[in-house]
Coordinates of all heavy atoms in Angstrom, one line a residue:
Chain E
A20 N -20.4 -87.1 -93.5 CA -20.6 -85.8 -94.3 C -22.0 -85.5 -94.4 O -23.0 -86.4 -94.5 CB -20.1 -86.1 -95.7
F21 N -22.3 -84.2 -94.2 CA -23.7 -83.7 -94.2 C -23.7 -82.7 -95.5 O -22.8 -82.0 -95.7 CB -24.1 -82.8 -93.0 CG -23.9 -83.7 -91.8 CD1 -23.5 -83.1 -90.6 CD2 -24.4 -85.0 -91.7 CE1 -23.3 -83.8 -89.4 CE2 -24.3 -85.7 -90.5 CZ -23.8 -85.1 -89.4
N22 N -24.9 -82.7 -96.2 CA -25.1 -81.9 -97.3 C -26.2 -80.9 -97.1 O -27.2 -81.2 -96.3 CB -25.3 -82.7 -98.6 CG -24.2 -83.7 -98.8 OD1 -23.0 -83.3 -98.7 ND2 -24.5 -84.9 -99.1
C23 N -26.2 -79.9 -97.8 CA -27.3 -78.9 -97.6 C -27.3 -78.1 -99.0 O -26.4 -77.8 -99.6 CB -26.8 -78.0 -96.5 SG -27.8 -76.4 -96.4
T24 N -28.6 -77.8 -99.4 CA -28.7 -76.9 -100.5 C -29.6 -75.7 -100.1 O -30.4 -75.8 -99.3 CB -29.4 -77.6 -101.7 OG1 -30.8 -78.1 -101.2 CG2 -28.6 -78.8 -102.2
Y25 N -29.4 -74.6 -100.8 CA -30.1 -73.4 -100.5 C -30.7 -72.8 -101.8 O -30.1 -73.0 -102.9 CB -29.3 -72.3 -99.8 CG -28.1 -71.9 -100.5 CD1 -28.1 -70.6 -101.3 CD2 -26.8 -72.6 -100.5 CE1 -27.0 -70.2 -102.0 CE2 -25.8 -72.1 -101.2 CZ -25.8 -71.0 -101.9 OH -24.7 -70.5 -102.6
S26 N -31.8 -72.1 -101.7 CA -32.5 -71.7 -103.0 C -32.2 -70.2 -103.4 O -32.4 -69.9 -104.5 CB -34.0 -71.8 -102.7 OG -34.5 -71.0 -101.7
N27 N -31.8 -69.4 -102.4 CA -31.5 -68.0 -102.7 C -30.1 -67.8 -103.2 O -29.2 -67.7 -102.4 CB -31.8 -67.1 -101.4 CG -31.8 -65.6 -101.7 OD1 -31.5 -65.2 -102.8 ND2 -32.1 -64.8 -100.8
S28 N -30.0 -67.5 -104.5 CA -28.7 -67.3 -105.0 C -28.0 -66.1 -104.6 O -26.8 -65.9 -104.7 CB -28.8 -67.3 -106.6 OG -29.6 -66.3 -107.0
A29 N -28.8 -65.1 -104.0 CA -28.2 -63.9 -103.4 C -27.6 -64.0 -102.1 O -27.1 -63.1 -101.6 CB -29.2 -62.8 -103.5
S30 N -27.8 -65.2 -101.5 CA -27.2 -65.4 -100.1 C -25.8 -65.1 -100.1 O -25.1 -65.5 -101.0 CB -27.6 -66.8 -99.6 OG -29.0 -67.0 -99.5
Q31 N -25.3 -64.5 -99.0 CA -23.9 -64.2 -98.8 C -23.2 -64.8 -97.7 O -22.0 -64.9 -97.7 CB -23.8 -62.6 -98.7 CG -24.2 -61.8 -99.9 CD -23.3 -62.1 -101.1 OE1 -22.1 -62.3 -101.0 NE2 -24.0 -62.3 -102.2
S32 N -24.0 -65.2 -96.7 CA -23.4 -65.7 -95.5 C -23.9 -67.2 -95.2 O -25.1 -67.4 -95.3 CB -23.7 -64.9 -94.3 OG -23.2 -63.6 -94.5
F33 N -23.0 -68.0 -94.8 CA -23.3 -69.4 -94.6 C -22.7 -70.0 -93.4 O -21.5 -69.6 -93.1 CB -22.8 -70.3 -95.9 CG -23.3 -69.7 -97.2 CD1 -22.4 -68.7 -97.8 CD2 -24.4 -70.0 -97.8 CE1 -22.8 -68.1 -99.0 CE2 -24.8 -69.4 -99.0 CZ -24.0 -68.4 -99.6
F34 N -23.5 -70.8 -92.7 CA -22.9 -71.3 -91.4 C -23.4 -72.7 -91.2 O -24.4 -73.1 -91.7 CB -23.5 -70.4 -90.2 CG -23.3 -68.9 -90.5 CD1 -24.3 -68.2 -91.1 CD2 -22.2 -68.3 -90.0 CE1 -24.2 -66.8 -91.2 CE2 -22.1 -66.9 -90.2 CZ -23.1 -66.2 -90.8
W35 N -22.7 -73.4 -90.3 CA -23.2 -74.6 -89.7 C -23.3 -74.3 -88.2 O -22.4 -73.8 -87.6 CB -22.2 -75.8 -89.9 CG -22.3 -76.4 -91.3 CD1 -21.4 -76.1 -92.3 CD2 -23.2 -77.3 -91.8 NE1 -21.8 -76.8 -93.5 CE2 -22.9 -77.5 -93.2 CE3 -24.4 -77.9 -91.2 CZ2 -23.7 -78.4 -93.9 CZ3 -25.1 -78.7 -92.0 CH2 -24.7 -79.0 -93.4
Y36 N -24.5 -74.6 -87.7 CA -24.7 -74.6 -86.3 C -25.0 -76.0 -85.7 O -25.4 -76.9 -86.5 CB -26.0 -73.7 -86.0 CG -25.8 -72.2 -86.0 CD1 -25.6 -71.5 -87.2 CD2 -25.8 -71.5 -84.7 CE1 -25.4 -70.1 -87.1 CE2 -25.6 -70.2 -84.7 CZ -25.5 -69.5 -85.9 OH -25.3 -68.1 -85.9
R37 N -24.7 -76.1 -84.5 CA -25.0 -77.3 -83.8 C -26.1 -77.1 -82.7 O -26.0 -76.1 -82.0 CB -23.7 -77.8 -83.1 CG -23.9 -79.0 -82.2 CD -22.7 -79.2 -81.3 NE -23.0 -80.1 -80.3 CZ -22.3 -81.2 -79.9 NH1 -21.2 -81.4 -80.6 NH2 -22.7 -82.0 -79.0
Q38 N -27.0 -78.0 -82.6 CA -28.1 -77.8 -81.7 C -28.2 -79.2 -80.9 O -28.5 -80.2 -81.5 CB -29.4 -77.5 -82.3 CG -30.5 -77.1 -81.2 CD -31.7 -76.6 -81.8 OE1 -32.1 -76.9 -83.0 NE2 -32.5 -75.8 -81.1
D39 N -28.1 -79.1 -79.6 CA -28.2 -80.2 -78.7 C -29.8 -80.3 -78.3 O -30.4 -79.2 -78.3 CB -27.3 -80.2 -77.5 CG -25.9 -80.4 -77.9 OD1 -25.6 -81.6 -78.3 OD2 -25.1 -79.4 -78.0
C40 N -30.2 -81.4 -77.9 CA -31.6 -81.5 -77.6 C -32.1 -80.5 -76.6 O -31.5 -80.3 -75.5 CB -31.9 -82.9 -77.1 SG -33.6 -83.4 -76.9
R41 N -33.1 -79.8 -76.9 CA -33.8 -78.8 -76.1 C -32.9 -77.7 -75.7 O -33.1 -77.1 -74.6 CB -34.4 -79.5 -74.8 CG -35.4 -80.7 -75.2 CD -35.8 -81.4 -73.9 NE -36.8 -80.6 -73.2 CZ -38.0 -80.7 -73.4 NH1 -38.5 -81.4 -74.4 NH2 -39.0 -80.0 -72.7
K42 N -31.9 -77.4 -76.6 CA -31.0 -76.3 -76.3 C -31.0 -75.3 -77.5 O -31.6 -75.7 -78.6 CB -29.6 -76.8 -76.1 CG -29.4 -77.8 -74.9 CD -29.4 -76.9 -73.6 CE -28.9 -77.9 -72.5 NZ -28.9 -77.1 -71.2
E43 N -30.4 -74.2 -77.3 CA -30.4 -73.2 -78.4 C -29.3 -73.6 -79.4 O -28.3 -74.4 -79.0 CB -30.1 -71.8 -77.9 CG -28.7 -71.5 -77.4 CD -28.3 -72.0 -76.1 OE1 -29.0 -72.8 -75.6 OE2 -27.3 -71.5 -75.5
P44 N -29.3 -73.2 -80.6 CA -28.2 -73.5 -81.6 C -26.9 -72.7 -81.2 O -27.0 -71.6 -80.7 CB -28.7 -72.9 -82.9 CG -30.2 -72.6 -82.7 CD -30.4 -72.4 -81.2
K45 N -25.8 -73.4 -81.5 CA -24.5 -72.8 -81.2 C -23.7 -72.8 -82.5 O -23.7 -73.8 -83.2 CB -23.8 -73.5 -80.1 CG -24.5 -73.3 -78.7 CD -23.6 -73.8 -77.6 CE -24.3 -73.7 -76.2 NZ -24.5 -72.3 -75.9
L46 N -23.1 -71.7 -82.8 CA -22.3 -71.7 -84.0 C -21.1 -72.7 -84.0 O -20.4 -72.6 -83.1 CB -21.8 -70.2 -84.2 CG -20.9 -70.0 -85.5 CD1 -21.8 -70.2 -86.7 CD2 -20.3 -68.6 -85.4
L47 N -21.1 -73.5 -85.0 CA -20.0 -74.5 -85.2 C -18.9 -73.8 -86.0 O -17.8 -73.8 -85.7 CB -20.6 -75.7 -85.8 CG -19.5 -76.9 -86.1 CD1 -19.0 -77.4 -84.7 CD2 -20.1 -78.0 -86.9
M48 N -19.3 -73.3 -87.2 CA -18.3 -72.6 -88.0 C -19.1 -71.9 -89.2 O -20.2 -72.3 -89.6 CB -17.3 -73.6 -88.6 CG -17.9 -74.7 -89.4 SD -16.8 -76.1 -89.7 CE -15.3 -75.3 -90.5
S49 N -18.4 -70.8 -89.5 CA -18.9 -70.1 -90.8 C -18.3 -70.9 -92.0 O -17.4 -71.6 -91.9 CB -18.3 -68.7 -90.8 OG -18.8 -68.0 -89.7
V50 N -18.9 -70.7 -93.1 CA -18.5 -71.4 -94.3 C -18.1 -70.3 -95.3 O -18.8 -69.4 -95.7 CB -19.6 -72.2 -95.0 CG1 -19.1 -73.1 -96.1 CG2 -20.3 -73.1 -93.9
Y51 N -16.8 -70.5 -95.8 CA -16.3 -69.5 -96.7 C -16.1 -70.1 -98.1 O -16.0 -71.3 -98.3 CB -14.9 -69.0 -96.2 CG -15.0 -68.3 -94.9 CD1 -14.4 -69.0 -93.7 CD2 -15.7 -67.1 -94.7 CE1 -14.6 -68.3 -92.5 CE2 -15.7 -66.6 -93.5 CZ -15.2 -67.2 -92.3 OH -15.4 -66.6 -91.1
S52 N -16.1 -69.3 -99.1 CA -16.1 -69.7 -100.5 C -15.0 -70.7 -100.8 O -15.1 -71.6 -101.6 CB -16.1 -68.6 -101.5 OG -17.2 -67.8 -101.3
S53 N -13.8 -70.4 -100.2 CA -12.6 -71.2 -100.4 C -12.6 -72.5 -99.6 O -11.7 -73.3 -99.8 CB -11.4 -70.4 -100.1 OG -11.5 -69.9 -98.8
G54 N -13.6 -72.7 -98.9 CA -13.7 -73.9 -98.0 C -12.8 -73.6 -96.7 O -11.8 -72.8 -96.8
N55 N -13.2 -74.1 -95.6 CA -12.4 -73.9 -94.4 C -12.5 -75.1 -93.5 O -13.4 -75.9 -93.5 CB -12.9 -72.6 -93.7 CG -14.3 -72.5 -93.6 OD1 -15.1 -72.4 -94.5 ND2 -14.8 -72.4 -92.3
E56 N -11.5 -75.1 -92.7 CA -11.3 -76.2 -91.7 C -11.1 -75.8 -90.3 O -10.4 -74.8 -90.1 CB -10.1 -77.1 -92.2 CG -9.9 -78.3 -91.5 CD -8.7 -79.2 -92.2 OE1 -8.7 -79.4 -93.3 OE2 -7.8 -79.5 -91.4
D57 N -11.7 -76.5 -89.3 CA -11.5 -76.2 -88.0 C -11.3 -77.5 -87.2 O -12.3 -78.1 -86.9 CB -12.7 -75.4 -87.4 CG -12.5 -74.9 -86.0 OD1 -11.4 -75.3 -85.4 OD2 -13.4 -74.3 -85.4
G58 N -10.1 -77.9 -87.0 CA -9.9 -79.1 -86.4 C -10.4 -80.3 -87.2 O -10.1 -80.5 -88.4
R59 N -11.4 -81.1 -86.6 CA -11.9 -82.2 -87.3 C -13.0 -81.9 -88.3 O -13.6 -82.7 -88.9 CB -12.4 -83.2 -86.3 CG -11.4 -83.8 -85.3 CD -11.9 -84.8 -84.3 NE -12.8 -84.2 -83.3 CZ -14.2 -84.3 -83.4 NH1 -14.8 -85.1 -84.3 NH2 -14.9 -83.7 -82.5
F60 N -13.4 -80.6 -88.4 CA -14.5 -80.1 -89.1 C -14.1 -79.4 -90.4 O -13.3 -78.5 -90.3 CB -15.4 -79.3 -88.3 CG -16.0 -79.9 -87.0 CD1 -15.3 -80.0 -85.9 CD2 -17.2 -80.6 -87.1 CE1 -15.8 -80.5 -84.7 CE2 -17.7 -81.2 -86.0 CZ -17.0 -81.2 -84.8
T61 N -14.6 -79.7 -91.5 CA -14.3 -79.1 -92.8 C -15.6 -78.8 -93.5 O -16.5 -79.5 -93.6 CB -13.5 -80.0 -93.7 OG1 -12.3 -80.4 -93.1 CG2 -13.2 -79.3 -95.0
A62 N -15.7 -77.5 -93.9 CA -16.9 -77.0 -94.6 C -16.5 -76.5 -95.9 O -15.4 -76.0 -96.2 CB -17.5 -75.8 -93.8
Q63 N -17.4 -76.8 -96.8 CA -17.2 -76.5 -98.3 C -18.5 -75.7 -98.7 O -19.6 -76.0 -98.3 CB -17.1 -77.7 -99.1 CG -15.8 -78.5 -98.8 CD -14.6 -77.9 -99.4 OE1 -14.6 -77.0 -100.3 NE2 -13.4 -78.4 -99.0

Side-chain angles (χ1 to χ4, degrees):
Chain E
F21 302 140
N22 303 318
C23 166
T24 56
Y25 61 96
S26 62
N27 185 355
S28 59
S30 297
Q31 293 295 319
S32 301
F33 310 90
F34 310 91
W35 283 100
Y36 278 74
R37 168 194 170 129
Q38 187 174 26
D39 292 286
C40 189
R41 302 175 78 85
K42 299 282 190 180
E43 78 277 20
K45 291 190 184 295
L46 180 65
L47 180 66
M48 57 195 304
S49 300
V50 186
Y51 302 110
S52 297
S53 55
N55 48 300
E56 187 174 305
D57 182 1
R59 298 181 292 110
F60 300 87
T61 301
Q63 297 279 351

